[in-house]
């Protein structure tokens, strides 16, 4: 690991702040538990430059784990100046001598150029074309490796010669901003891998606070190291590890006032019944159902927490491990323009909130005559609409309807 960057970026000033002069604290002393566990933190206070937040970054290590956990806490005490947090991330830059294969998801797995490969910058500065060597002509852009937050739980670099994998994986996405359709960066050339905490790319909202008190905990996530296997063996091992982390969420070992344990969380369950007068065949299979604040639009919420799950074929859903609070229930599904919402839900600790059957009748204004596109929040039905990760290649440019459909009503 050549370099570790930890920072926040503020939109109004464009400044970039790294944790460089923080105070170190031993939170769990391994000499007091026989070397079974250790936790240290780095705390950096707001110093009149950069975003007005205090930041804590924690490292947690257990004896038998092949890796370590991180979590971060952002604190805006009452009386601090108003401000915004556009993005926050933890980034590792890895050695090209050890790692040469990048994995984002099942579709995006490939060997990558060495960090010193000659290249030229194309239109946007993030887009590079390799100019010599075995990867000559390859266009690499960090936006190629963005992933939808809702079902993305791990990504990595592995080494074909070293047999080592370096993974970032996590058990929950409750702290990631603006819901399951938000796209977050994962890894990219040259040999970078990161965990995004919050990000305002693609039109998302930054964390925005006035002079009031605000706090949020991000994570924990895990930096997992596996070894002695080829890229596919390491990949399968990490899938099992990721599943076990999701099963273990919320972590019983975690101790922080902002992190409720399982007994301090609630469960919401119910069933959606969809009746679309203009599309009787509309199905709720794989609909997203989630809990978020009542306002603003959930796709513009970054200050709090959200919980989302996929509904079953019959519209049934169970949302576990919900923080006790007041929420609005949202739902959307491919093929339906409208969005369901149910307000004023109070979720209590260690209780199951049963909503029974919820009737969803999408609103239509007149009869539909024709349609262009599908309301599925993608452009995959258009030319190259499912091949959009081609920055710098004008032959793959696609213009399509991504989140709504064009319709004509009489």
């Amino acid at each position: 690991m050549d370099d570790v960057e930890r920072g926040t970026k503020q939109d109004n000033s464009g400044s970039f702040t790294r944790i460089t002069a923080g105070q170190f604290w031993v939170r769990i002393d391994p000499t007091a538990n026989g070397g079974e566990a250790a936790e240290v933190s780095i705390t950096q206070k707001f110093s009149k430059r950069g975003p007005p937040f205090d930041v804590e970054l924690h490292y947690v290590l257990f004896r038998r784990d092949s890796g370590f956990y991180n979590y971060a806490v952002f604190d805006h005490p009452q009386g601090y100046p108003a401000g915004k947090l556009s993005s926050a991330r933890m980034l590792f830059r890895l050695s090209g001598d050890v790692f040469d294969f990048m994995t984002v998801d099942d579709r995006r797995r490939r060997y990558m150029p060495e960090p010193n490969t000659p290249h030229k910058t194309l239109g946007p500065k993030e887009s590079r074309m390799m100019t010599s060597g075995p990867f000559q002509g390859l266009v690499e852009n960090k936006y190629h490796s963005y992933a939808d937050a809702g079902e993305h739980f791990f990504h990595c670099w592995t080494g074909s010669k070293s047999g080592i994998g370096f993974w970032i994986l996590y058990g929950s996405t409750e702290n990631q901003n603006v819901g399951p359709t938000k796209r977050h960066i994962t890894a990219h050339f040259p040999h970078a891998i990161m965990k995004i905490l919050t990000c305002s790319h693609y039109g998302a909202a930054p964390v925005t606070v006035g002079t009031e008190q605000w706090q949020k905990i991000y994570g924990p996530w895990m930096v997992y190291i596996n070894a002695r296997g080829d890229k596919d063996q390491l990949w399968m091992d990490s899938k099992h590890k990721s599943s076990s982390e999701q099963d273990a969420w919320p972590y019983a070992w975690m101790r922080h006032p902002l992190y409720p344990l399982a007994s301090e969380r609630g469960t919401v369950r119910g069933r959606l019944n969809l009746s679309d007068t203009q599309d009787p065949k509309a199905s709720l299979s794989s609909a997203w159902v989630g809990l978020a604040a009542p306002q603003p639009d959930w796709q513009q919420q970054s200050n709090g927490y959200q919980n989302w799950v996929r509904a079953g074929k019959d519209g049934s859903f169970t949302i576990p491990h919900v923080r006790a609070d007041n929420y609005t229930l949202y739902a959307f599904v491919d093929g339906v323009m409208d969005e369901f919402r149910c307000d004023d839900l109070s979720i209590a600790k260690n209780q199951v909130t049963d909503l029974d059957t919820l009737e969803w009748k999408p609103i239509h204004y007149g009869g539909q005559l024709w349609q262009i596109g599908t309301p599925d929040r993608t452009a995959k039905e258009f030319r190259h609409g499912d091949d959009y990760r081609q920055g710098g290649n004008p032959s793959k440019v696609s213009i399509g309807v991504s989140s709504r459909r064009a319709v004509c009503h009489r």
Side-chain angles (χ1 to χ4, degrees):
M1 185 166 61
D2 301 324
D3 180 42
V4 180
E5 298 177 340
R6 298 172 284 271
T8 60
K9 188 175 181 181
Q10 182 178 11
D11 352 23
N12 54 5
S13 67
S15 62
F16 190 82
T17 304
R18 297 179 182 176
I19 298 178
T20 56
Q23 291 183 301
F24 289 79
W25 303 88
V26 176
R27 305 288 182 174
I28 299 177
D29 187 347
T31 63
N33 56 46
E36 291 297 314
E39 180 176 351
V40 297
S41 69
I42 309 169
T43 302
Q44 183 161 293
K45 298 288 187 178
F46 170 55
S47 60
K48 309 304 179 184
R49 64 178 294 271
F53 300 91
D54 298 337
V55 184
E56 289 182 13
L57 179 63
H58 293 248
Y59 293 81
V60 184
L61 178 65
F62 297 101
R63 180 193 291 275
R64 294 169 184 83
D65 276 347
S66 180
F68 57 89
Y69 292 90
N70 286 126
Y71 67 94
V73 179
F74 283 74
D75 184 15
H76 181 276
Q78 188 172 8
Y80 269 33
K84 295 181 180 181
L85 182 66
S86 284
S87 62
R89 69 187 186 186
M90 184 165 186
L91 182 147
F92 299 86
R93 294 196 184 276
L94 308 179
S95 170
D97 295 332
V98 180
F99 301 98
D100 61 358
F101 190 85
M102 187 179 76
T103 295
V104 176
D105 52 30
D106 288 337
R107 293 180 57 192
R108 288 172 289 173
R109 304 181 65 222
R110 62 186 174 99
Y111 288 100
M112 296 292 288
E114 295 182 358
N116 60 355
T117 299
H119 59 270
K120 67 177 181 179
T121 301
L122 301 177
K125 64 180 181 180
E126 295 88 356
S127 202
R128 307 177 179 93
M129 179 180 286
M130 308 302 144
T131 56
S132 66
F135 293 91
Q136 184 173 359
L138 172 69
V139 175
E140 171 56 24
N141 188 316
K142 68 179 184 181
Y143 296 102
H144 295 175
S145 58
Y146 270 64
D148 290 347
E151 295 176 305
H152 185 84
F153 292 94
F154 60 107
H155 46 273
C156 85
W157 280 86
T158 54
S160 56
K161 294 181 180 180
S162 65
I164 297 174
F166 187 103
W167 305 80
I168 290 181
L169 49 86
Y170 33 101
S172 171
T173 61
E174 70 172 18
N175 47 62
Q176 294 187 170
N177 63 320
V178 306
T181 58
K182 176 67 177 75
R183 304 191 66 76
H184 291 292
I185 195 169
T186 58
H188 63 82
F189 175 85
H191 291 70
I193 185 170
M194 65 189 73
K195 173 67 176 73
I196 296 295
L197 282 60
T198 188
C199 176
S200 60
H201 281 81
Y202 295 108
V207 171
T208 304
V209 294
T211 57
E212 74 276 8
Q213 182 181 15
W214 173 86
Q215 292 178 303
K216 186 171 180 178
I217 186 169
Y218 296 90
W221 64 90
M222 187 180 192
V223 175
Y224 176 60
I225 312 297
N226 54 4
R228 295 186 297 277
D230 62 27
K231 64 183 186 303
D232 295 323
Q233 292 170 325
L234 298 174
W235 171 239
M236 293 306 299
D237 174 69
S238 71
K239 283 189 174 184
H240 293 306
K241 180 61 175 175
S242 176
S243 295
S244 68
E245 294 301 306
Q246 293 172 58
D247 291 341
W249 186 275
Y251 298 123
W253 53 261
M254 182 69 175
R255 296 291 183 272
H256 194 280
L258 295 178
Y259 188 87
L261 300 177
S263 61
E264 300 171 306
R265 296 169 180 248
T267 298
V268 179
R269 67 187 181 195
R271 188 179 74 86
L272 286 169
N273 184 41
L274 175 63
S275 301
D276 191 340
T277 57
Q278 295 195 8
D279 188 3
K281 296 181 180 180
S283 170
L284 282 167
S285 180
S286 296
W288 278 111
V289 184
L291 294 166
Q295 59 182 358
D297 186 295
W298 59 266
Q299 295 173 107
Q300 292 296 307
Q301 294 182 26
S302 296
N303 287 35
Y305 305 90
Q306 300 190 27
N307 296 83
W308 291 85
V309 297
R310 291 283 196 180
K313 292 182 179 180
D314 63 347
S316 60
F317 61 89
T318 299
I319 307 176
H321 311 313
V322 181
R323 292 165 174 266
D325 207 340
N326 296 318
Y327 294 92
T328 290
L329 181 82
Y330 300 91
F332 63 93
V333 68
D334 292 355
V336 177
M337 272 280 286
D338 194 23
E339 184 177 273
F340 177 85
R341 68 179 289 159
C342 177
D343 293 307
D344 301 323
L345 296 181
S346 180
I347 309 305
K349 297 179 181 179
N350 203 26
Q351 292 188 16
V352 176
T353 301
D354 195 334
L355 301 178
D356 297 321
T357 300
L358 301 169
E359 298 294 337
W360 181 9
K361 297 182 179 180
I363 298 174
H364 296 284
Y365 301 94
Q368 181 176 315
L369 297 180
W370 49 262
Q371 171 181 323
I372 300 175
T374 303
D376 59 1
R377 300 169 190 261
T378 77
K380 61 186 179 183
E381 67 270 30
F382 296 93
R383 179 176 171 80
H384 299 308
D386 202 27
D387 194 20
Y388 52 87
R389 298 181 184 95
Q390 296 289 336
N393 188 343
S395 67
K396 293 295 183 70
V397 172
S398 169
I399 299 176
V401 179
S402 60
S403 63
R404 295 203 178 263
R405 58 184 174 186
V407 298
C408 176
H409 295 107
R410 61 167 184 246

